[in-house]
Every structure is written in C-alpha cells, then in structure tokens.
Amino acid sequence: MPSQEFVLSCEIQAPTEKVFDFFADHECFGRIWSGTTRRIADGVDGINGVGSKRRIHLGPYSFDETTLTCQRPELIEYTSSRNSPLRNHKGRIEIHADGDGSRIHYTIGFDPRIPGTGRFMAYLIQRDWRRRIGSIIREIEQA
C-alpha cells in the first residue's frame, strides 16, 4: 500500500458516459493538472484505452502514465510508467450515476521519491484539483 493515498471527488450534472469520455481522453484529462499532457501511444482497445500512454510536461521535466483499466462508463485506472516524480503512483477514477448526473470518486496513491515530501506532494495535487475542477465541471456540463 502506498504511503500517501487520498480521494478527490465531485458531482457533475452530466451522464456517466459523457464524464467518462472526458476523463478517459488524455488531452482533456491533462487540463485538470498543471503542465501540458498529450497522448503518445494508443491503447489496444481504443486510442485512450488499455495500454495507451500520456506524456505530462511540467516545465523542463516530463513523465509518462499508462492506462491499466478502461471500462466505459465507470472505471479508469492508470499508473506512472516512466520518469515519474512519484514512486508506485496509481490513479483510480470511478464514475457513478447519481440521479440525473454523475459522481466522481478519484483515488490517488503514491510513495514520494524524496523521503518526507509525501504530504507536500499530496497537497500540491489536491490544490491543483480544487483550482481547476470547477471549470472542468462547467465544461463537461455545457458540452
């Protein structure tokens, strides 16, 4: 089990399929976080499916993440696969129907590369989520 694990959540007034399509798309997903993101490899079961990879650039630094699970419309799992600033990093995005909308339950777990920095890294990730998720929700709901 990773030394740092936390859950991010939100509610979106859109069907689960629409929410899933946004979070599964590497370029769209990348707008939640700092830096830039682009898909660098297609998956075996679709361009953003299992085995697909995204490259994330933070200034001069870049790292890759690979999709492990892609079960439309309810589950996406990914892991860091190259040069990550986090060890044993895994993300699990669950999308649940909630009345006329959807509920996101997003679990992130990791071990810090530099001992003693885990809480700070978790804080930065959660801060990015809080800063950007409102505009992401509006974008999905209006699409």
Side-chain angles (χ1 to χ4, degrees):
M1 184 154 110
S3 63
Q4 295 294 315
E5 187 171 276
F6 54 91
V7 175
L8 306 168
S9 61
C10 68
E11 294 179 7
I12 303 174
Q13 293 305 306
T16 56
E17 292 84 359
K18 190 174 182 181
V19 175
F20 179 91
D21 290 346
F22 180 91
F23 279 86
D25 184 295
H26 294 304
E27 279 81 15
C28 290
F29 179 78
R31 295 199 307 263
I32 299 170
W33 311 110
S34 295
T36 59
T37 301
R38 67 181 173 87
R39 186 181 52 256
I40 59 168
D42 293 348
V44 296
D45 58 350
I47 62 171
N48 294 303
V50 173
S52 65
K53 294 180 189 258
R54 61 179 163 244
R55 179 151 299 150
I56 300 157
H57 293 273
L58 294 169
Y61 188 75
S62 71
F63 59 97
D64 296 350
E65 293 178 341
T66 301
T67 301
L68 301 172
T69 306
C70 190
Q71 297 173 351
R72 191 172 195 271
E74 70 254 347
L75 180 63
I76 303 163
E77 294 176 307
Y78 65 89
T79 189
S80 292
S81 53
R82 184 194 66 86
N83 207 31
S84 176
L86 310 171
R87 289 181 334 168
N88 305 316
H89 172 95
K90 290 194 177 172
R92 179 181 173 91
I93 304 168
E94 298 172 69
I95 304 165
H96 304 278
D98 188 14
D100 291 336
S102 303
R103 189 171 19 93
I104 300 282
H105 183 91
Y106 184 177
T107 305
I108 295 176
F110 66 90
D111 294 314
R113 284 218 178 266
I114 302 169
T117 63
R119 284 187 182 181
F120 180 66
M121 295 296 291
Y123 164 78
L124 292 176
I125 294 167
Q126 292 173 68
R127 184 187 69 182
D128 253 11
W129 173 268
R130 286 189 307 271
R131 285 182 174 176
R132 297 167 189 258
I133 195 60
S135 63
I136 297 300
I137 289 170
R138 285 188 296 280
E139 179 181 341
I140 294 170
E141 289 175 347
Q142 294 172 5

